[in-house]
Amino acid sequence: MRPLRNIVILTGAGISAESGIDTFRAADGLWEQHRIEDVATPEGFRRDPALVHRFYDARRAAVQRAKPNPAHRALARLDAEWPGALLIVTQNVDDLHERAGARRLLHMHGELLSALCAACGERHRWTGALGAGPACPGCGCAALRPDVVWFGEMPYGMERIYTALQQADLFVSIGTSGAVYPAAGFVAEARRWGARTLELNLEESEGSALFDETRLGRAGELVPAWVEEVLKA
Ligand code: BV8
């Protein structure tokens, strides 16, 4: 077993569940009678921008009322104390990891608190609503969209993620159903490069068979215990 130096952690909606943020499965992928896959797509936005803005404006407001939970805080502690390489790749668009203090963090599916201008490409921190078509602070066009990666769009940071997976000694997946690619393929990629793999989740996921170890339970309990274990080892 090679020494544990480089860690890659993938988080999903399950790590924010105990902060009161709905997971996608909890809403069983439905929102206002629309499948998430239909609302969270460029086609869905073209078809009905007001509906898609309602979906994201509601989530952007909810996230600002939510607080990081012990799982977010435990990963921030690991980030501060781990001497080796660490990368937290989150599929989540909330800002709870950074509000807990995580630094070595990558939002592969974008961020709710960021607006992307479809006209000039600039990104702006955004805490309010986008539904009323505010002007882009950069170019003045009313072309701001949520800065999130929709189905059919290329996730952010893929090169940095694959480089980290190649160098990983340990890959840990926390609170994700393993239903969405390319994130769901990271465990297989990590194994290909010889990493050990651990899953911390409320229930078996679609990828559980690919993990050396799966611990079932709530992230708020499993993650602090695991961080304690790793820092003490
Ligand atoms: C791309 C941002 C290519 C927006 C999101 C057929 C086969 C394979 C792939 C595809 C296919 N057809 C299409 C695809 C590709 C598609 C895809 O994977 N579709 C799925 C539906 C099959 N993927 C894409 O389109 C991706 N892009 O492939 O681009 C490309 C190539 C070249 C050039 C251009 C493009 C982009 C996907 C990103 C979509 N955006 N989010 C937003 O947030 O609104 S996805 C969104 O859903 C999340 O980000 C996340 O990734 C996913 C939901 O997953 P989870 O986070 O896992 O959440 P979920 O609710 O499912 O599960 C929660 C888990 O937590 C559960 O297991 C539960 O048990 C557990 N849990 C609950 N409570 C707790 C807990 N665990 C611990 N403690 C608790 N308390």
Side-chain angles (χ1 to χ4, degrees):
M1 193 88 82
R2 63 189 190 210
L4 177 55
R5 241 192 337 270
N6 306 332
I7 302 176
V8 174
I9 298 171
L10 173 69
T11 66
I15 201 169
S16 297
E18 290 156 81
S19 297
I21 305 276
D22 266 351
T23 67
F24 290 80
R25 287 163 65 90
D28 55 64
L30 268 189
W31 186 80
E32 281 198 358
Q33 297 80 43
H34 296 267
R35 283 173 2 100
I36 296 277
E37 285 78 8
D38 298 338
V39 172
T41 62
E43 299 72 31
F45 185 62
R46 260 194 301 282
R47 203 169 39 241
D48 188 344
L51 173 79
V52 175
H53 275 310
R54 270 205 309 278
F55 177 50
Y56 287 97
D57 288 352
R59 290 170 68 195
R60 189 174 305 106
V63 159
Q64 295 173 76
R65 294 192 297 269
K67 294 204 174 14
N69 66 54
H72 295 110
R73 287 198 295 276
L75 291 190
R77 175 188 169 208
L78 181 68
D79 191 350
E81 298 179 21
W82 182 251
L86 173 77
L87 181 62
I88 302 168
V89 180
T90 188
Q91 300 172 89
N92 300 339
V93 291
D94 63 54
D95 63 341
L96 298 178
H97 278 302
E98 41 274 65
R99 278 168 47 199
R103 293 279 169 276
R104 296 183 273 183
L105 174 69
L106 194 163
H107 280 274
M108 67 177 289
H109 289 161
E111 300 172 65
L112 273 176
L113 298 182
S114 172
L116 170 63
C117 179
C120 72
E122 275 190 8
R123 286 182 169 76
H124 298 277
R125 179 168 168 78
W126 208 270
T127 55
L130 285 170
C136 165
C139 69
C141 296
L144 291 171
R145 57 161 276 187
D147 184 14
V148 298
V149 175
W150 282 327
F151 288 95
E153 295 185 322
M154 183 52 105
Y156 294 141
M158 292 307 293
E159 204 168 312
R160 186 173 163 209
I161 295 168
Y162 281 114
T163 302
L165 290 171
Q166 283 170 26
Q167 293 158 1
D169 302 305
L170 176 63
F171 174 76
V172 187
S173 175
I174 303 170
T176 180
S177 61
V180 173
Y181 289 81
F186 291 168
V187 57
E189 183 71 9
R191 290 177 68 93
R192 205 158 75 82
W193 295 97
R196 270 175 286 140
T197 54
L198 168 66
E199 179 182 41
L200 309 177
N201 208 52
L202 191 65
E203 59 197 356
E204 293 262 310
S205 71
E206 296 191 26
S208 288
L210 288 171
F211 287 90
D212 297 317
E213 183 190 356
T214 291
R215 296 179 191 173
L216 297 182
R218 288 149 39 106
E221 282 130 35
L222 291 179
V223 179
W226 169 70
V227 166
E228 186 67 22
E229 198 182 292
V230 164
L231 289 176
K232 291 273 176 297

